[in-house]
Amino acid sequence: MKNQIEKDPDVEGKFSFQPPLDRASERVTKKPFGIFITPQNSPVSPERFYGYHTGADFEVFPEELYLDVEVKAICSGELKMKKTATGYGGLAAEACEINGDPITVIYGHLKLSSIAAKVGENLKSGDTLGILGKGFSSETNGERKHLHLGIHKGTAINILGYVQSKENISDWIDPCLYACGK
Ligand SMILES: [Zn+2]
């Protein structure tokens, strides 16, 4: 068993994290990390998901609904995957580290064609990754315009947005511990 990964306030270089969007902390208004979602209690309607949310959702502000909203890499690491996935539309995965432990970061609901980096390329923390997909389109797999950001422990690319038991949520890390800014 690994010890819980802890935040190091002095992290620099490849361990430094950046928010994926400006005013990031103000955007996590509907689905924070770990919230238990059902179609009945969801802050989003209609809701098709059920379970514990493995990431944090960053909403857009009203004035951004029809603007290009750039998503930045939250950490430095290799782009491991970009593809269209059910539940997400455009999806990217990046390999990073927290204090030497590997993590895999999932960015969901991006416009796939806007992701300029190639798989295998290294991104730097704060680099533009792409733009958010258009809401309620194939770019977001029919979801509202927002960013799903997930941090999974280890090197496996796990794109589950929800897990069905509370124990399983411990395989993920709250992105706001690192990437919500102030
Ligand atoms: Zn989400």
Side-chain angles (χ1 to χ4, degrees):
M1 272 293 254
K2 278 204 166 136
N3 291 326
Q4 192 171 359
I5 295 167
E6 286 180 65
K7 185 173 183 177
D8 179 351
D10 300 320
V11 288
E12 283 196 27
K14 67 177 186 171
F15 299 132
S16 88
F17 281 74
Q18 297 284 334
L21 300 160
D22 64 355
R23 299 167 63 191
S25 62
E26 295 172 46
R27 297 175 183 271
V28 185
T29 55
K30 291 182 175 164
K31 294 189 187 177
F33 174 75
I35 189 174
F36 185 69
I37 293 290
T38 72
Q40 287 73 40
N41 79 356
S42 178
V44 175
S45 177
E47 178 63 75
R48 52 186 170 147
F49 299 113
Y50 185 99
Y52 296 90
H53 192 221
T54 60
D57 282 357
F58 295 82
E59 307 301 322
V60 294
F61 298 119
E63 64 271 22
E64 294 172 328
L65 269 178
Y66 303 105
L67 298 178
D68 289 349
V69 176
E70 283 193 355
V71 176
K72 298 190 160 63
I74 65 165
C75 48
S76 298
E78 185 185 337
L79 184 66
K80 300 297 284 186
M81 181 197 78
K82 59 174 178 178
K83 68 171 188 180
T84 297
T86 302
Y88 291 107
L91 179 68
E94 183 189 16
C96 295
E97 290 182 353
I98 294 177
N99 300 334
D101 291 319
I103 56 166
T104 304
V105 182
I106 296 291
Y107 304 83
H109 313 297
L110 272 64
K111 179 178 183 175
L112 186 62
S113 63
S114 74
I115 304 173
K118 296 192 180 76
V119 171
E121 269 180 37
N122 280 298
L123 296 162
K124 280 217 244 5
S125 186
D127 279 356
T128 297
L129 178 61
I131 63 172
L132 286 180
K134 180 177 170 0
F136 310 104
S137 77
S138 60
E139 294 174 6
T140 57
N141 197 227
E143 294 291 311
R144 71 198 187 285
K145 183 175 180 176
H146 74 284
L147 173 68
H148 173 96
L149 182 68
I151 301 179
H152 188 257
K153 296 176 186 173
T155 56
I157 300 175
N158 186 324
I159 70 169
L160 281 180
Y162 297 83
V163 290
Q164 300 308 313
S165 86
K166 199 158 195 173
E167 296 76 65
N168 289 343
I169 200 77
S170 63
D171 294 339
W172 275 266
I173 295 167
D174 181 356
C176 274
L177 292 176
Y178 298 93
C180 277
K182 294 210 161 78

